[in-house]
Structures are given as C-alpha cells and as structure tokens.
Amino acid sequence: MIAWEAPGRINLIGEHTDYNLGFALPIALPQRTIARFEPSDDDVLTVRSNQFDGAVDIDLGTRPGDVDGWAAYVAGVVWALREAGHPVRGGRLDVNSDVEIGAGLSSSAALECAALGAFVAAGELSLDRIEQARLAQRAENEYVGAPTGLLDQLSALFGASKRALLIDFREVAVQQVPFDPESVGATLLVMNSHAAHEHAGGEYAARRDSCERAARDLGVESLREVVDVDVLDAVGDQVDARRARHIVTENARVLDFVAAMRESDLVAAGALMTASHASMRDDFEITTTQLDAIAEAATATGAFGARMTGGGFGGCVIALVPTDRVGAVSEAVEAAMRDGGYRAPTITATRAAAGAGAVTD
Ligand code: GLA
C-alpha cells in the first residue's frame, strides 16, 4: 500500500497570471488530500472518496469523456500518465481529503497530485515535480476540460513550511521565499464565503481568451512581455485592454509584495493585496459583491490588506491582519455578511505548510 498526500493552496498574490506566463506567490495549506493506493493486476482502478458517496471504476484505457464528476481528476491523471508512456496499475485508490471543494483552495490539484504521486511511487516512475505538475495540468485541461494554468499543481508539489513560492511561469521556475507572518506579529486569515465556483464554466475561459487576444493585438507571445500599461492603448477591444491591464499590474504587484515581505513591511504588503483585489474587481471583473464586502470589512477594521484568492466568482478572501486585530476583523466580516443577507463565513488563521509527499504516519 502506497499513501501519498498533496495540499490545497492559497495564492497570496498574482491571480490569472499563470497562463499569461507571469508571476504568482502561493503557499501550500495545512489541509491536504491523501491517496491510499493498493495496486493489483486488474485493468480497472476503483476509486472512493470521503467527500462523495459510492465508488467509481476507471478503466485503465480511459479516454476524455469516459468519467465525469470528482473521479474525472483521477481518471485524467491515469490518462495523462499513459499518454506520456508511463504504465499505471489498477487496484484500489482511497481518497481522504479535508480540502474544501469549490472554495478556491485547489481541491482539484490536491486530488490530482496526490493520485499522481501515488502512481509515481507505486510504479517507481521517473518524473520530476515539474513534469508531474505538467501531467496533472494536462489531466485537468484535456480530460476534465478546465483551461487552467500551472499555479495550483506547482503550489501543491513545491509547497514548504513557512515558505511562499515565487513562481515564474515563463521559466517554469519556483523559488521559495520566507513567509512567516506570525514571527512579525501578523496573522494570515482565510475567510471562506462558501459561495462555490468552478473553472470548467465559461467565465474563466473568457478571461483567458481576452488575455490571448490582447497579446495578439500587441504582437507579443504573452502579456508577460508587457511592463508598461501605456502600450495597452494598442489593444483593439476596450474590455480586453482592461483585462490585460490587470495582468500587467498584477505581475508588478507580485514582485513588489515579495520585496515588501523581505523587509517585513506589512503595511506595504497589505496595500498591494488590497490593490490586487481592486484590480480583480474593476479590471478583471472576477470578484463578486459578497467577496468585495468581505475584503472591505477586513481592511476597514485594521487588516493590512485583503484580497480574493483563486480563480474568482466565489471562494475565499485572504487578509493579512495584525494578530491583535484578528478578533475585531473577524467580527466585522461576520457582521457585514449578516447585514448583506449572506451565509456566515468560516474564518480561520492559516500558515504555509509542506508540499506533496509520502504520508509518514
Ligand atoms: C485557478 C486556476 C489556476 C489560476 C487561478 C487564478 O485556480 O486553476 O491555474 O489561473 O485560478 O490565478
């Protein structure tokens, strides 16, 4: 029996920059998905999850379209591995996860990377973590049909305790940077709106299309090549130009955030988070009035900064908060949700935790 785990993630800053070959700064979360794999000589893999009823049988020769629902992420990994010429055995795969689904915490990448890690370990396959991230992404893009970037898989695979990951998606390079707000009197809060989202829907793909059109209008390979927002006047469509402006300014904010954290300048770091939220609200238009209200209540009560995290249209807002203001910020956010007639949020303090690996207990 092989037991492999992979964590959920939150992105501190750098949203929708991954497929534009820019920068992002995620952390891996303490919440994780564990895949326990008992290989057999069957040509069927039977998967179960504590988060869903019933078992799903996946034929090892599975093709996109054969399996849907949660098990499609596992089937996609089986398919992507075999497409790349790696053998996968049948048997039983039991999944146990405490990464909430649809909350923008990358439950899907945690599942992909846990299953993939179990198959790699069981088959003693030689695949480095960048190759694993690309295979898991291929499973999600081509099997599940969600046109997502590499952010979530790299976060799950490269996460480390007390470290954020500065990812450069053009180079596909991951650099650890110290991230331990508690050591400087601050707390990272995750405020879950419980408004579910999904990326196989049309809005995510529409944002991606806008960015690709803008890059074409500018004659660049990706929006990563653009650093000066003035050149965006040459983008034909006004909406595409605004989408592109989010990407260009967000890339700069990621690098500025890393510099601010290096100097323990939480005020500057927080201001960049709040600016990122405004850019997602006004230029990229992926927030919701509920998420805006959460972020505003947090900053109005003394958070250094707050922003939605993840793909958008629901999920979580994160806030960097002076530790002695955690109670006040939480109460203000809860009150704002009550006043707005929204469901009560779940607010928790979190930290940067380890990435994927063998389960040791
Ligand atoms: C989702 C996608 C990622 C990334 C983020 C937005 O989480 O899976 O690839 O694009 O949205 O930053």
Side-chain angles (χ1 to χ4, degrees), residues 75 298 325 333 341:
R325 298 292 296 164
V333 169

Side-chain angles (χ1 to χ4, degrees), residues 9 11 14-16 18-19 148-152 199 204 310-311:
R9 64 101 188 88
N11 194 14
E15 227 62 79
H16 285 257
D18 59 351
Y19 55 78
T148 47
L150 262 180
L151 170 71
D152 307 336
H199 297 318
Y204 185 97

Side-chain angles (χ1 to χ4, degrees), residues 270-294:
L272 288 159
M273 291 171 75
T274 302
S276 169
H277 187 91
S279 176
M280 293 190 287
R281 181 190 62 213
D282 302 335
D283 280 350
F284 220 60
E285 293 180 282
I286 54 170
T287 70
T288 63
T289 46
Q290 180 185 8
L291 297 168
D292 296 345
I294 294 177

Side-chain angles (χ1 to χ4, degrees), residues 1-346:
M1 153 98 89
I2 303 279
W4 206 264
E5 61 178 17
R9 64 101 188 88
I10 57 174
N11 194 14
L12 296 173
I13 195 160
E15 227 62 79
H16 285 257
T17 48
D18 59 351
Y19 55 78
N20 287 298
L21 308 188
F23 299 103
L25 188 76
I27 60 171
L29 290 175
Q31 286 81 6
R32 43 206 55 228
T33 296
I34 299 175
R36 291 193 171 79
F37 181 38
E38 189 72 71
S40 74
D41 293 329
D42 285 353
D43 49 14
V44 171
L45 180 74
T46 302
V47 294
R48 287 182 184 74
S49 163
N50 69 311
Q51 292 172 309
F52 297 91
D53 287 335
V56 179
D57 284 339
I58 299 169
D59 192 282
L60 294 182
T62 188
R63 312 276 320 154
D66 288 350
V67 177
D68 56 15
W70 73 271
Y73 294 96
V74 179
V77 163
V78 171
W79 170 78
L81 270 170
R82 288 172 51 110
E83 283 277 302
H86 301 289
V88 183
R89 294 179 69 187
R92 256 185 87 128
L93 189 90
D94 289 326
V95 174
N96 215 289
S97 180
D98 64 353
V99 185
E100 187 174 319
I101 292 166
L105 303 177
S106 260
S107 59
S108 45
L111 175 56
E112 291 152 16
C113 294
L116 181 60
F119 299 143
V120 167
E124 294 177 11
L125 309 178
S126 103
L127 273 170
D128 68 28
R129 287 191 179 225
I130 298 278
E131 292 169 317
Q132 289 185 36
R134 287 191 198 279
L135 274 179
Q137 183 198 20
R138 185 159 187 224
E140 187 156 331
N141 290 172
E142 294 179 39
Y143 196 104
V144 179
T148 47
L150 262 180
L151 170 71
D152 307 336
Q153 294 81 9
L154 289 175
S155 310
L157 288 160
F158 286 90
S161 178
K162 299 186 181 177
R163 299 281 185 277
L165 308 170
L166 174 57
I167 305 179
D168 177 337
F169 292 97
R170 184 174 65 191
E171 312 304 326
V172 193
V174 184
Q175 185 192 338
Q176 292 186 355
V177 288
F179 182 74
D180 186 15
E182 280 162 39
S183 67
V184 284
T187 297
L188 183 67
L189 287 185
V190 185
M191 303 180 282
N192 188 341
S193 70
H194 298 294
H197 73 137
E198 52 139 333
H199 297 318
E203 292 290 354
Y204 185 97
R207 296 305 180 281
R208 191 167 177 151
D209 290 345
S210 262
C211 293
E212 283 166 7
R213 263 195 312 272
R216 265 201 307 278
D217 286 358
L218 297 172
V220 291
E221 200 166 314
S222 74
L223 292 178
R224 160 64 176 275
E225 310 310 323
V226 182
V227 283
D228 177 1
V229 288
D230 290 342
V231 309
L232 298 175
D233 291 345
V235 174
D237 179 88
Q238 285 314 296
V239 173
D240 290 348
R242 270 195 290 125
R243 304 291 188 248
R245 185 168 60 188
H246 164 73
I247 301 303
V248 172
T249 57
E250 186 79 346
N251 279 333
R253 279 186 292 268
V254 173
L255 300 179
D256 290 347
F257 185 93
V258 170
M261 288 307 292
R262 281 214 167 99
E263 287 168 19
S264 299
D265 187 346
L266 299 177
V267 172
L272 288 159
M273 291 171 75
T274 302
S276 169
H277 187 91
S279 176
M280 293 190 287
R281 181 190 62 213
D282 302 335
D283 280 350
F284 220 60
E285 293 180 282
I286 54 170
T287 70
T288 63
T289 46
Q290 180 185 8
L291 297 168
D292 296 345
I294 294 177
E296 269 157 39
T299 46
T301 1
F304 292 115
R307 64 183 293 280
M308 185 201 81
T309 184
F313 309 103
C316 296
V317 173
I318 55 169
L320 195 59
V321 180
T323 300
D324 60 7
R325 298 292 296 164
V326 165
V329 166
S330 305
E331 277 164 31
V333 169
E334 279 156 5
M337 292 299 93
R338 258 195 319 274
D339 294 349
Y342 298 112
R343 187 175 156 187
T346 304

